[in-house]
Amino acid sequence: MATKNSRILVTTKLWAGCYILNGVNSSQPPARSAKPRGRRLTAPERRESILRAATEVFSETGYLRGRTSLIAARAGVSEPVIFNNFGTKPALYAAVLERAVMSVCRTLREAALGGESVPQVLGRFLEPAHVERFHRPGAIGFLFADASTLTSDPGVGEAAGEYLRAFAAELADLLRQGQAAGGIRAGINADAAAWWLLSMVATRAFRATAMPGADSLEADLTAMTLATLTTGI
């Protein structure tokens, strides 16, 4: 059984992991990537520095507005080095998306394994203030929302769809764990519920723009969703 301190640690990681990207707190302007001074980067280090810089740029501007020249400047390399390492801008974006999705999936798994119930994990993930931070420029949620608009793009649509499906599959697995433990209603279709949750997160920016009384209604939407999915135990 997890100790109280370990549950607190996992809870902190859940809050942090969903809007801290590569060690950058998304509630603050992302720090610029920079290569270590005094020595030449190894090939893996150079690739990592490019990936970090690309994550910063794409999570601030989105794929279409994200310039490889800006990514190169932040990584401290020339633009041809970007293409030598990743081939194309779409391939670089796909690598960024993969890491972002894997980061959130890992955070959700660790939270569930650390002693919190699945309803508690979902409650924190859907909490309106958290969702708002999740969608700020520089945050993982901004990348997800951007990817959801690119599924028909000939360059990155396939990768965007693949990683969004991977996220939905992780949520579905989490819901099945909750069903096995009794906290999620047995009659719920876990796959359908996962896409419902993902859609709620992805459309947060739309609701914030168009929905009157957004703050109070967001709280009501979260409460309705949890009441529909959970058993109350």
Side-chain angles (χ1 to χ4, degrees):
M1 180 179 296
T3 65
K4 180 178 179 181
N5 286 340
S6 68
R7 289 196 296 270
I8 292 172
L9 175 60
V10 170
T11 298
T12 302
K13 290 179 71 176
L14 175 63
W15 275 85
C18 291
Y19 55 91
I20 292 183
L21 203 56
N22 298 318
V24 178
N25 187 335
S26 67
S27 65
Q28 301 295 331
R32 299 298 180 254
S33 298
K35 62 182 181 181
R37 295 182 180 180
R39 68 177 178 84
R40 185 181 182 86
L41 291 179
T42 65
E45 287 173 338
R46 182 175 296 107
R47 183 178 175 86
E48 174 65 18
S49 72
I50 293 169
L51 193 55
R52 285 178 60 88
T55 300
E56 292 172 6
V57 171
F58 288 140
S59 66
E60 292 169 11
T61 67
Y63 171 74
L64 296 178
R65 294 175 56 209
R67 303 192 313 276
T68 53
S69 58
L70 178 56
I71 294 169
R74 291 201 185 180
V77 300
S78 64
E79 200 168 1
V81 172
I82 302 285
F83 299 110
N84 288 341
N85 278 268
F86 289 91
T88 64
K89 179 183 174 182
L92 176 58
Y93 184 76
V96 165
L97 266 184
E98 178 181 21
R99 187 154 85 167
V101 168
M102 293 305 102
S103 173
V104 174
C105 289
R106 183 171 58 252
T107 299
L108 290 173
R109 283 195 299 270
E110 290 175 353
L113 291 171
E116 288 198 85
S117 69
V118 171
Q120 285 175 323
V121 173
L122 293 179
R124 294 186 182 281
F125 184 69
L126 294 174
E127 198 274 325
H130 173 262
V131 174
E132 192 276 329
R133 286 189 291 269
F134 190 75
H135 277 82
R136 288 179 185 171
I140 290 180
F142 188 93
L143 278 174
F144 288 171
D146 183 54
S148 70
T149 69
L150 298 169
T151 53
S152 61
D153 185 282
V156 297
E158 184 176 349
E162 177 185 353
Y163 294 122
L164 289 172
R165 287 190 292 273
F167 188 21
E170 187 70 33
L171 286 172
D173 285 345
L174 183 68
L175 289 164
R176 291 188 187 97
Q177 291 177 39
Q179 287 175 321
I184 299 296
R185 295 183 188 277
I188 294 290
N189 182 313
D191 293 305
W195 283 104
W196 175 15
L197 294 172
L198 190 55
S199 297
M200 274 196 63
V201 173
T203 55
R204 171 65 176 81
F206 160 72
R207 295 196 302 276
T209 301
M211 187 169 68
D215 289 344
S216 61
L217 288 180
E218 281 295 328
D220 288 343
L221 279 171
T222 298
M224 289 169 58
T225 300
L226 292 174
T228 301
L229 294 178
T230 63
T231 61
I233 65 171

